[in-house]
PDB file of all heavy atoms in Angstrom:
ATOM      1  N   TYR A  57       9.386  -8.045 -19.335  1.00  0.00           N
ATOM      2  CA  TYR A  57       9.651  -8.112 -17.894  1.00  0.00           C
ATOM      3  C   TYR A  57      10.090  -6.740 -17.397  1.00  0.00           C
ATOM      4  O   TYR A  57       9.791  -6.363 -16.274  1.00  0.00           O
ATOM      5  CB  TYR A  57      10.761  -9.103 -17.627  1.00  0.00           C
ATOM      6  CG  TYR A  57      10.302 -10.538 -17.613  1.00  0.00           C
ATOM      7  CD1 TYR A  57      10.817 -11.490 -18.496  1.00  0.00           C
ATOM      8  CD2 TYR A  57       9.297 -10.962 -16.705  1.00  0.00           C
ATOM      9  CE1 TYR A  57      10.344 -12.800 -18.464  1.00  0.00           C
ATOM     10  CE2 TYR A  57       8.857 -12.247 -16.658  1.00  0.00           C
ATOM     11  CZ  TYR A  57       9.380 -13.189 -17.569  1.00  0.00           C
ATOM     12  OH  TYR A  57       8.937 -14.486 -17.538  1.00  0.00           O
ATOM     13  N   LEU A  58      10.757  -5.930 -18.224  1.00  0.00           N
ATOM     14  CA  LEU A  58      11.156  -4.588 -17.821  1.00  0.00           C
ATOM     15  C   LEU A  58       9.924  -3.688 -17.714  1.00  0.00           C
ATOM     16  O   LEU A  58       9.892  -2.823 -16.821  1.00  0.00           O
ATOM     17  CB  LEU A  58      12.137  -4.026 -18.837  1.00  0.00           C
ATOM     18  CG  LEU A  58      12.841  -2.691 -18.468  1.00  0.00           C
ATOM     19  CD1 LEU A  58      13.577  -2.852 -17.139  1.00  0.00           C
ATOM     20  CD2 LEU A  58      13.778  -2.272 -19.550  1.00  0.00           C
ATOM     21  N   VAL A  59       8.942  -3.913 -18.566  1.00  0.00           N
ATOM     22  CA  VAL A  59       7.676  -3.171 -18.415  1.00  0.00           C
ATOM     23  C   VAL A  59       6.991  -3.508 -17.088  1.00  0.00           C
ATOM     24  O   VAL A  59       6.496  -2.623 -16.400  1.00  0.00           O
ATOM     25  CB  VAL A  59       6.708  -3.533 -19.613  1.00  0.00           C
ATOM     26  CG1 VAL A  59       5.322  -2.984 -19.353  1.00  0.00           C
ATOM     27  CG2 VAL A  59       7.281  -2.925 -20.907  1.00  0.00           C
ATOM     28  N   LEU A  60       6.997  -4.805 -16.727  1.00  0.00           N
ATOM     29  CA  LEU A  60       6.471  -5.176 -15.431  1.00  0.00           C
ATOM     30  C   LEU A  60       7.233  -4.566 -14.281  1.00  0.00           C
ATOM     31  O   LEU A  60       6.617  -4.141 -13.268  1.00  0.00           O
ATOM     32  CB  LEU A  60       6.478  -6.720 -15.320  1.00  0.00           C
ATOM     33  CG  LEU A  60       5.924  -7.339 -14.011  1.00  0.00           C
ATOM     34  CD1 LEU A  60       4.481  -6.936 -13.810  1.00  0.00           C
ATOM     35  CD2 LEU A  60       6.064  -8.830 -14.024  1.00  0.00           C
ATOM     36  N   ALA A  61       8.550  -4.477 -14.424  1.00  0.00           N
ATOM     37  CA  ALA A  61       9.357  -3.838 -13.360  1.00  0.00           C
ATOM     38  C   ALA A  61       8.993  -2.329 -13.240  1.00  0.00           C
ATOM     39  O   ALA A  61       8.861  -1.846 -12.119  1.00  0.00           O
ATOM     40  CB  ALA A  61      10.838  -4.016 -13.684  1.00  0.00           C
ATOM     41  N   PHE A  62       8.855  -1.671 -14.332  1.00  0.00           N
ATOM     42  CA  PHE A  62       8.485  -0.252 -14.278  1.00  0.00           C
ATOM     43  C   PHE A  62       7.092  -0.073 -13.662  1.00  0.00           C
ATOM     44  O   PHE A  62       6.869   0.893 -12.884  1.00  0.00           O
ATOM     45  CB  PHE A  62       8.500   0.337 -15.685  1.00  0.00           C
ATOM     46  CG  PHE A  62       9.879   0.572 -16.226  1.00  0.00           C
ATOM     47  CD1 PHE A  62      10.147   0.492 -17.598  1.00  0.00           C
ATOM     48  CD2 PHE A  62      10.933   0.831 -15.354  1.00  0.00           C
ATOM     49  CE1 PHE A  62      11.391   0.718 -18.078  1.00  0.00           C
ATOM     50  CE2 PHE A  62      12.200   1.075 -15.816  1.00  0.00           C
ATOM     51  CZ  PHE A  62      12.452   1.009 -17.192  1.00  0.00           C
ATOM     52  N   PHE A  63       6.155  -0.951 -14.000  1.00  0.00           N
ATOM     53  CA  PHE A  63       4.823  -0.852 -13.435  1.00  0.00           C
ATOM     54  C   PHE A  63       4.809  -1.067 -11.934  1.00  0.00           C
ATOM     55  O   PHE A  63       4.143  -0.393 -11.150  1.00  0.00           O
ATOM     56  CB  PHE A  63       3.906  -1.850 -14.122  1.00  0.00           C
ATOM     57  CG  PHE A  63       2.465  -1.756 -13.665  1.00  0.00           C
ATOM     58  CD1 PHE A  63       1.660  -0.720 -14.110  1.00  0.00           C
ATOM     59  CD2 PHE A  63       1.963  -2.726 -12.808  1.00  0.00           C
ATOM     60  CE1 PHE A  63       0.307  -0.649 -13.652  1.00  0.00           C
ATOM     61  CE2 PHE A  63       0.685  -2.643 -12.386  1.00  0.00           C
ATOM     62  CZ  PHE A  63      -0.180  -1.633 -12.785  1.00  0.00           C
ATOM     63  N   SER A  64       5.627  -2.036 -11.488  1.00  0.00           N
ATOM     64  CA  SER A  64       5.709  -2.319 -10.067  1.00  0.00           C
ATOM     65  C   SER A  64       6.371  -1.086  -9.333  1.00  0.00           C
ATOM     66  O   SER A  64       5.953  -0.771  -8.245  1.00  0.00           O
ATOM     67  CB  SER A  64       6.516  -3.575  -9.812  1.00  0.00           C
ATOM     68  OG  SER A  64       5.918  -4.685 -10.441  1.00  0.00           O
ATOM     69  N   ALA A  65       7.398  -0.513  -9.994  1.00  0.00           N
ATOM     70  CA  ALA A  65       8.007   0.660  -9.374  1.00  0.00           C
ATOM     71  C   ALA A  65       7.061   1.834  -9.292  1.00  0.00           C
ATOM     72  O   ALA A  65       7.070   2.586  -8.307  1.00  0.00           O
ATOM     73  CB  ALA A  65       9.263   1.047 -10.164  1.00  0.00           C
ATOM     74  N   SER A  66       6.186   1.973 -10.276  1.00  0.00           N
ATOM     75  CA  SER A  66       5.213   3.072 -10.226  1.00  0.00           C
ATOM     76  C   SER A  66       4.185   2.817  -9.104  1.00  0.00           C
ATOM     77  O   SER A  66       3.733   3.752  -8.441  1.00  0.00           O
ATOM     78  CB  SER A  66       4.496   3.183 -11.579  1.00  0.00           C
ATOM     79  OG  SER A  66       3.745   2.003 -11.840  1.00  0.00           O
ATOM     80  N   CYS A  67       3.848   1.575  -8.858  1.00  0.00           N
ATOM     81  CA  CYS A  67       2.969   1.268  -7.721  1.00  0.00           C
ATOM     82  C   CYS A  67       3.607   1.593  -6.384  1.00  0.00           C
ATOM     83  O   CYS A  67       2.937   2.099  -5.467  1.00  0.00           O
ATOM     84  CB  CYS A  67       2.564  -0.186  -7.765  1.00  0.00           C
ATOM     85  SG  CYS A  67       1.548  -0.694  -9.151  1.00  0.00           S
ATOM     86  N   VAL A  68       4.916   1.379  -6.307  1.00  0.00           N
ATOM     87  CA  VAL A  68       5.621   1.773  -5.061  1.00  0.00           C
ATOM     88  C   VAL A  68       5.621   3.264  -4.892  1.00  0.00           C
ATOM     89  O   VAL A  68       5.443   3.777  -3.780  1.00  0.00           O
ATOM     90  CB  VAL A  68       7.056   1.187  -5.119  1.00  0.00           C
ATOM     91  CG1 VAL A  68       7.890   1.673  -3.953  1.00  0.00           C
ATOM     92  CG2 VAL A  68       7.032  -0.336  -5.141  1.00  0.00           C
ATOM     93  N   TRP A  69       5.787   4.018  -6.018  1.00  0.00           N
ATOM     94  CA  TRP A  69       5.702   5.454  -5.951  1.00  0.00           C
ATOM     95  C   TRP A  69       4.336   5.955  -5.476  1.00  0.00           C
ATOM     96  O   TRP A  69       4.226   6.934  -4.707  1.00  0.00           O
ATOM     97  CB  TRP A  69       6.030   6.090  -7.319  1.00  0.00           C
ATOM     98  CG  TRP A  69       7.504   6.126  -7.619  1.00  0.00           C
ATOM     99  CD1 TRP A  69       8.134   5.454  -8.645  1.00  0.00           C
ATOM    100  CD2 TRP A  69       8.501   6.864  -6.985  1.00  0.00           C
ATOM    101  NE1 TRP A  69       9.465   5.715  -8.652  1.00  0.00           N
ATOM    102  CE2 TRP A  69       9.729   6.630  -7.642  1.00  0.00           C
ATOM    103  CE3 TRP A  69       8.484   7.783  -5.892  1.00  0.00           C
ATOM    104  CZ2 TRP A  69      10.926   7.182  -7.243  1.00  0.00           C
ATOM    105  CZ3 TRP A  69       9.691   8.315  -5.504  1.00  0.00           C
ATOM    106  CH2 TRP A  69      10.907   8.066  -6.158  1.00  0.00           C
ATOM    107  N   VAL A  70       3.306   5.265  -5.920  1.00  0.00           N
ATOM    108  CA  VAL A  70       1.951   5.621  -5.473  1.00  0.00           C
ATOM    109  C   VAL A  70       1.820   5.430  -3.979  1.00  0.00           C
ATOM    110  O   VAL A  70       1.207   6.233  -3.277  1.00  0.00           O
ATOM    111  CB  VAL A  70       0.898   4.840  -6.270  1.00  0.00           C
ATOM    112  CG1 VAL A  70      -0.509   5.034  -5.663  1.00  0.00           C
ATOM    113  CG2 VAL A  70       0.911   5.258  -7.739  1.00  0.00           C
ATOM    114  N   LEU A  71       2.348   4.294  -3.475  1.00  0.00           N
ATOM    115  CA  LEU A  71       2.293   4.098  -2.051  1.00  0.00           C
ATOM    116  C   LEU A  71       3.050   5.121  -1.247  1.00  0.00           C
ATOM    117  O   LEU A  71       2.732   5.437  -0.102  1.00  0.00           O
ATOM    118  CB  LEU A  71       2.864   2.678  -1.728  1.00  0.00           C
ATOM    119  CG  LEU A  71       2.021   1.502  -2.240  1.00  0.00           C
ATOM    120  CD1 LEU A  71       2.748   0.192  -1.900  1.00  0.00           C
ATOM    121  CD2 LEU A  71       0.636   1.481  -1.659  1.00  0.00           C
ATOM    122  N   LEU A  72       4.115   5.684  -1.849  1.00  0.00           N
ATOM    123  CA  LEU A  72       4.877   6.771  -1.216  1.00  0.00           C
ATOM    124  C   LEU A  72       4.271   8.143  -1.415  1.00  0.00           C
ATOM    125  O   LEU A  72       4.899   9.166  -1.104  1.00  0.00           O
ATOM    126  CB  LEU A  72       6.310   6.731  -1.739  1.00  0.00           C
ATOM    127  CG  LEU A  72       7.132   5.505  -1.400  1.00  0.00           C
ATOM    128  CD1 LEU A  72       8.495   5.575  -2.037  1.00  0.00           C
ATOM    129  CD2 LEU A  72       7.262   5.385   0.120  1.00  0.00           C
ATOM    130  N   ARG A  73       3.079   8.201  -2.008  1.00  0.00           N
ATOM    131  CA  ARG A  73       2.348   9.415  -2.241  1.00  0.00           C
ATOM    132  C   ARG A  73       3.083  10.364  -3.222  1.00  0.00           C
ATOM    133  O   ARG A  73       3.019  11.597  -3.087  1.00  0.00           O
ATOM    134  CB  ARG A  73       2.047  10.171  -0.957  1.00  0.00           C
ATOM    135  CG  ARG A  73       1.148   9.354  -0.006  1.00  0.00           C
ATOM    136  CD  ARG A  73       0.863  10.178   1.253  1.00  0.00           C
ATOM    137  NE  ARG A  73      -0.006   9.413   2.172  1.00  0.00           N
ATOM    138  CZ  ARG A  73      -0.431   9.836   3.348  1.00  0.00           C
ATOM    139  NH1 ARG A  73      -0.043  11.048   3.762  1.00  0.00           N
ATOM    140  NH2 ARG A  73      -1.187   9.095   4.148  1.00  0.00           N
ATOM    141  N   ALA A  74       3.727   9.784  -4.190  1.00  0.00           N
ATOM    142  CA  ALA A  74       4.381  10.516  -5.256  1.00  0.00           C
ATOM    143  C   ALA A  74       3.666  10.189  -6.552  1.00  0.00           C
ATOM    144  O   ALA A  74       4.170   9.438  -7.397  1.00  0.00           O
ATOM    145  CB  ALA A  74       5.863  10.221  -5.376  1.00  0.00           C
ATOM    146  N   GLU A  75       2.445  10.712  -6.711  1.00  0.00           N
ATOM    147  CA  GLU A  75       1.622  10.342  -7.834  1.00  0.00           C
ATOM    148  C   GLU A  75       2.218  10.854  -9.157  1.00  0.00           C
ATOM    149  O   GLU A  75       2.091  10.169 -10.206  1.00  0.00           O
ATOM    150  CB  GLU A  75       0.186  10.946  -7.656  1.00  0.00           C
ATOM    151  CG  GLU A  75      -0.549  10.385  -6.456  1.00  0.00           C
ATOM    152  CD  GLU A  75      -0.222  11.085  -5.158  1.00  0.00           C
ATOM    153  OE1 GLU A  75       0.560  12.094  -5.295  1.00  0.00           O
ATOM    154  OE2 GLU A  75      -0.748  10.702  -4.110  1.00  0.00           O
ATOM    155  N   PHE A  76       2.812  12.019  -9.148  1.00  0.00           N
ATOM    156  CA  PHE A  76       3.357  12.570 -10.402  1.00  0.00           C
ATOM    157  C   PHE A  76       4.503  11.683 -10.924  1.00  0.00           C
ATOM    158  O   PHE A  76       4.577  11.414 -12.145  1.00  0.00           O
ATOM    159  CB  PHE A  76       3.913  13.992 -10.135  1.00  0.00           C
ATOM    160  CG  PHE A  76       4.535  14.603 -11.325  1.00  0.00           C
ATOM    161  CD1 PHE A  76       3.753  15.129 -12.361  1.00  0.00           C
ATOM    162  CD2 PHE A  76       5.903  14.682 -11.435  1.00  0.00           C
ATOM    163  CE1 PHE A  76       4.336  15.684 -13.486  1.00  0.00           C
ATOM    164  CE2 PHE A  76       6.507  15.253 -12.523  1.00  0.00           C
ATOM    165  CZ  PHE A  76       5.724  15.771 -13.580  1.00  0.00           C
ATOM    166  N   LEU A  77       5.389  11.212 -10.069  1.00  0.00           N
ATOM    167  CA  LEU A  77       6.458  10.333 -10.488  1.00  0.00           C
ATOM    168  C   LEU A  77       5.913   9.000 -10.997  1.00  0.00           C
ATOM    169  O   LEU A  77       6.445   8.428 -11.936  1.00  0.00           O
ATOM    170  CB  LEU A  77       7.461  10.129  -9.353  1.00  0.00           C
ATOM    171  CG  LEU A  77       8.233  11.367  -8.872  1.00  0.00           C
ATOM    172  CD1 LEU A  77       9.130  10.965  -7.701  1.00  0.00           C
ATOM    173  CD2 LEU A  77       9.078  11.919 -10.026  1.00  0.00           C
ATOM    174  N   ALA A  78       4.865   8.490 -10.353  1.00  0.00           N
ATOM    175  CA  ALA A  78       4.302   7.246 -10.781  1.00  0.00           C
ATOM    176  C   ALA A  78       3.671   7.356 -12.165  1.00  0.00           C
ATOM    177  O   ALA A  78       3.911   6.507 -13.037  1.00  0.00           O
ATOM    178  CB  ALA A  78       3.245   6.785  -9.784  1.00  0.00           C
ATOM    179  N   ILE A  79       2.939   8.402 -12.425  1.00  0.00           N
ATOM    180  CA  ILE A  79       2.371   8.580 -13.756  1.00  0.00           C
ATOM    181  C   ILE A  79       3.394   8.854 -14.794  1.00  0.00           C
ATOM    182  O   ILE A  79       3.343   8.338 -15.927  1.00  0.00           O
ATOM    183  CB  ILE A  79       1.324   9.731 -13.709  1.00  0.00           C
ATOM    184  CG1 ILE A  79       0.167   9.393 -12.768  1.00  0.00           C
ATOM    185  CG2 ILE A  79       0.773  10.009 -15.086  1.00  0.00           C
ATOM    186  CD1 ILE A  79      -0.629   8.146 -13.143  1.00  0.00           C
ATOM    187  N   THR A  80       4.421   9.612 -14.469  1.00  0.00           N
ATOM    188  CA  THR A  80       5.520   9.874 -15.387  1.00  0.00           C
ATOM    189  C   THR A  80       6.263   8.608 -15.721  1.00  0.00           C
ATOM    190  O   THR A  80       6.640   8.381 -16.892  1.00  0.00           O
ATOM    191  CB  THR A  80       6.520  10.914 -14.768  1.00  0.00           C
ATOM    192  OG1 THR A  80       5.770  12.081 -14.414  1.00  0.00           O
ATOM    193  CG2 THR A  80       7.594  11.237 -15.773  1.00  0.00           C
TER     194      THR A  80
END
C-alpha cells in the first residue's frame, strides 16, 4: 500500500509539472 501511495504521489508531481521529482 505504501508503494501505491508513492506512485500516486508521483502522479500528482507529474500534474504539477515536476517531472524530476516524480521520477526520483
Side-chain angles (χ1 to χ4, degrees):
Y57 280 120
L58 190 57
V59 170
L60 180 60
F62 286 150
F63 183 76
S64 301
S66 65
C67 294
V68 174
W69 281 115
V70 171
L71 294 177
L72 295 176
R73 296 181 180 180
E75 297 84 3
F76 177 77
L77 294 178
I79 297 299
T80 305

